[in-house]
mmCIF file with all atom_site columns, all heavy atoms in Angstrom:
data_model
loop_
_atom_site.group_PDB
_atom_site.id
_atom_site.type_symbol
_atom_site.label_atom_id
_atom_site.label_alt_id
_atom_site.label_comp_id
_atom_site.label_asym_id
_atom_site.label_entity_id
_atom_site.label_seq_id
_atom_site.pdbx_PDB_ins_code
_atom_site.Cartn_x
_atom_site.Cartn_y
_atom_site.Cartn_z
_atom_site.occupancy
_atom_site.B_iso_or_equiv
_atom_site.pdbx_formal_charge
_atom_site.auth_seq_id
_atom_site.auth_comp_id
_atom_site.auth_asym_id
_atom_site.auth_atom_id
_atom_site.pdbx_PDB_model_num
ATOM 1  N N   . MET A 1 175 ? 80.742 115.045 73.104 1.00 0.00 ? 840 MET A N   1
ATOM 2  C CA  . MET A 1 175 ? 81.805 114.706 74.046 1.00 0.00 ? 840 MET A CA  1
ATOM 3  C C   . MET A 1 175 ? 83.206 114.957 73.519 1.00 0.00 ? 840 MET A C   1
ATOM 4  O O   . MET A 1 175 ? 84.188 114.730 74.225 1.00 0.00 ? 840 MET A O   1
ATOM 5  C CB  . MET A 1 175 ? 81.664 113.240 74.480 1.00 0.00 ? 840 MET A CB  1
ATOM 6  C CG  . MET A 1 175 ? 80.355 112.969 75.177 1.00 0.00 ? 840 MET A CG  1
ATOM 7  S SD  . MET A 1 175 ? 80.275 113.661 76.860 1.00 0.00 ? 840 MET A SD  1
ATOM 8  C CE  . MET A 1 175 ? 81.342 112.552 77.741 1.00 0.00 ? 840 MET A CE  1
ATOM 9  N N   . ILE A 1 218 ? 79.458 114.943 83.677 1.00 0.00 ? 883 ILE A N   1
ATOM 10 C CA  . ILE A 1 218 ? 80.175 113.766 83.137 1.00 0.00 ? 883 ILE A CA  1
ATOM 11 C C   . ILE A 1 218 ? 81.521 114.226 82.568 1.00 0.00 ? 883 ILE A C   1
ATOM 12 O O   . ILE A 1 218 ? 81.708 115.375 82.190 1.00 0.00 ? 883 ILE A O   1
ATOM 13 C CB  . ILE A 1 218 ? 79.321 113.030 82.093 1.00 0.00 ? 883 ILE A CB  1
ATOM 14 C CG1 . ILE A 1 218 ? 78.938 114.001 80.923 1.00 0.00 ? 883 ILE A CG1 1
ATOM 15 C CG2 . ILE A 1 218 ? 78.101 112.428 82.688 1.00 0.00 ? 883 ILE A CG2 1
ATOM 16 C CD1 . ILE A 1 218 ? 78.095 113.284 79.837 1.00 0.00 ? 883 ILE A CD1 1
ATOM 17 N N   . THR A 1 219 ? 82.413 113.215 82.532 1.00 0.00 ? 884 THR A N   1
ATOM 18 C CA  . THR A 1 219 ? 83.844 113.542 82.052 1.00 0.00 ? 884 THR A CA  1
ATOM 19 C C   . THR A 1 219 ? 84.000 113.160 80.657 1.00 0.00 ? 884 THR A C   1
ATOM 20 O O   . THR A 1 219 ? 83.739 111.985 80.201 1.00 0.00 ? 884 THR A O   1
ATOM 21 C CB  . THR A 1 219 ? 84.793 112.714 82.969 1.00 0.00 ? 884 THR A CB  1
ATOM 22 O OG1 . THR A 1 219 ? 84.508 112.943 84.340 1.00 0.00 ? 884 THR A OG1 1
ATOM 23 C CG2 . THR A 1 219 ? 86.242 113.082 82.635 1.00 0.00 ? 884 THR A CG2 1
ATOM 24 N N   . ARG A 1 220 ? 84.581 114.095 79.823 1.00 0.00 ? 885 ARG A N   1
ATOM 25 C CA  . ARG A 1 220 ? 84.902 113.864 78.454 1.00 0.00 ? 885 ARG A CA  1
ATOM 26 C C   . ARG A 1 220 ? 86.177 113.002 78.346 1.00 0.00 ? 885 ARG A C   1
ATOM 27 O O   . ARG A 1 220 ? 86.943 112.988 79.288 1.00 0.00 ? 885 ARG A O   1
ATOM 28 C CB  . ARG A 1 220 ? 85.059 115.127 77.777 1.00 0.00 ? 885 ARG A CB  1
ATOM 29 C CG  . ARG A 1 220 ? 83.793 115.871 77.406 1.00 0.00 ? 885 ARG A CG  1
ATOM 30 C CD  . ARG A 1 220 ? 84.086 117.258 76.873 1.00 0.00 ? 885 ARG A CD  1
ATOM 31 N NE  . ARG A 1 220 ? 83.021 117.808 76.084 1.00 0.00 ? 885 ARG A NE  1
ATOM 32 C CZ  . ARG A 1 220 ? 82.991 119.022 75.573 1.00 0.00 ? 885 ARG A CZ  1
ATOM 33 N NH1 . ARG A 1 220 ? 83.968 119.835 75.840 1.00 0.00 ? 885 ARG A NH1 1
ATOM 34 N NH2 . ARG A 1 220 ? 81.969 119.502 74.905 1.00 0.00 ? 885 ARG A NH2 1
ATOM 35 N N   . PRO A 1 221 ? 86.457 112.452 77.173 1.00 0.00 ? 886 PRO A N   1
ATOM 36 C CA  . PRO A 1 221 ? 87.703 111.684 76.999 1.00 0.00 ? 886 PRO A CA  1
ATOM 37 C C   . PRO A 1 221 ? 88.946 112.532 77.283 1.00 0.00 ? 886 PRO A C   1
ATOM 38 O O   . PRO A 1 221 ? 89.941 112.014 77.684 1.00 0.00 ? 886 PRO A O   1
ATOM 39 C CB  . PRO A 1 221 ? 87.609 111.236 75.518 1.00 0.00 ? 886 PRO A CB  1
ATOM 40 C CG  . PRO A 1 221 ? 86.136 111.113 75.290 1.00 0.00 ? 886 PRO A CG  1
ATOM 41 C CD  . PRO A 1 221 ? 85.552 112.254 76.025 1.00 0.00 ? 886 PRO A CD  1
ATOM 42 N N   . ASP A 1 222 ? 88.887 113.928 77.030 1.00 0.00 ? 887 ASP A N   1
ATOM 43 C CA  . ASP A 1 222 ? 90.048 114.712 77.248 1.00 0.00 ? 887 ASP A CA  1
ATOM 44 C C   . ASP A 1 222 ? 90.148 115.149 78.746 1.00 0.00 ? 887 ASP A C   1
ATOM 45 O O   . ASP A 1 222 ? 91.041 115.912 79.089 1.00 0.00 ? 887 ASP A O   1
ATOM 46 C CB  . ASP A 1 222 ? 89.994 115.959 76.384 1.00 0.00 ? 887 ASP A CB  1
ATOM 47 C CG  . ASP A 1 222 ? 88.776 116.869 76.635 1.00 0.00 ? 887 ASP A CG  1
ATOM 48 O OD1 . ASP A 1 222 ? 88.024 116.530 77.617 1.00 0.00 ? 887 ASP A OD1 1
ATOM 49 O OD2 . ASP A 1 222 ? 88.599 117.923 75.951 1.00 0.00 ? 887 ASP A OD2 1
ATOM 50 N N   . GLY A 1 223 ? 89.269 114.710 79.593 1.00 0.00 ? 888 GLY A N   1
ATOM 51 C CA  . GLY A 1 223 ? 89.336 114.983 81.056 1.00 0.00 ? 888 GLY A CA  1
ATOM 52 C C   . GLY A 1 223 ? 88.480 116.158 81.480 1.00 0.00 ? 888 GLY A C   1
ATOM 53 O O   . GLY A 1 223 ? 88.339 116.355 82.728 1.00 0.00 ? 888 GLY A O   1
ATOM 54 N N   . SER A 1 224 ? 87.943 116.948 80.536 1.00 0.00 ? 889 SER A N   1
ATOM 55 C CA  . SER A 1 224 ? 87.124 118.083 80.942 1.00 0.00 ? 889 SER A CA  1
ATOM 56 C C   . SER A 1 224 ? 85.746 117.522 81.312 1.00 0.00 ? 889 SER A C   1
ATOM 57 O O   . SER A 1 224 ? 85.390 116.415 80.992 1.00 0.00 ? 889 SER A O   1
ATOM 58 C CB  . SER A 1 224 ? 86.977 119.088 79.741 1.00 0.00 ? 889 SER A CB  1
ATOM 59 O OG  . SER A 1 224 ? 86.380 118.416 78.550 1.00 0.00 ? 889 SER A OG  1
ATOM 60 N N   . VAL A 1 225 ? 85.036 118.378 82.085 1.00 0.00 ? 890 VAL A N   1
ATOM 61 C CA  . VAL A 1 225 ? 83.758 117.955 82.664 1.00 0.00 ? 890 VAL A CA  1
ATOM 62 C C   . VAL A 1 225 ? 82.647 118.903 82.047 1.00 0.00 ? 890 VAL A C   1
ATOM 63 O O   . VAL A 1 225 ? 82.816 120.095 81.952 1.00 0.00 ? 890 VAL A O   1
ATOM 64 C CB  . VAL A 1 225 ? 83.731 118.118 84.174 1.00 0.00 ? 890 VAL A CB  1
ATOM 65 C CG1 . VAL A 1 225 ? 82.354 117.760 84.732 1.00 0.00 ? 890 VAL A CG1 1
ATOM 66 C CG2 . VAL A 1 225 ? 84.777 117.141 84.732 1.00 0.00 ? 890 VAL A CG2 1
ATOM 67 N N   . ILE A 1 226 ? 81.527 118.310 81.637 1.00 0.00 ? 891 ILE A N   1
ATOM 68 C CA  . ILE A 1 226 ? 80.389 119.068 81.169 1.00 0.00 ? 891 ILE A CA  1
ATOM 69 C C   . ILE A 1 226 ? 79.142 118.731 81.996 1.00 0.00 ? 891 ILE A C   1
ATOM 70 O O   . ILE A 1 226 ? 79.059 117.663 82.589 1.00 0.00 ? 891 ILE A O   1
ATOM 71 C CB  . ILE A 1 226 ? 80.113 118.780 79.622 1.00 0.00 ? 891 ILE A CB  1
ATOM 72 C CG1 . ILE A 1 226 ? 79.673 117.341 79.461 1.00 0.00 ? 891 ILE A CG1 1
ATOM 73 C CG2 . ILE A 1 226 ? 81.309 119.126 78.802 1.00 0.00 ? 891 ILE A CG2 1
ATOM 74 C CD1 . ILE A 1 226 ? 79.194 117.027 78.020 1.00 0.00 ? 891 ILE A CD1 1
#
Side-chain angles (χ1 to χ4, degrees):
M840 298 289 284
I883 56 180
T884 306
R885 283 173 159 173
D887 63 2
S889 61
V890 176
I891 64 172

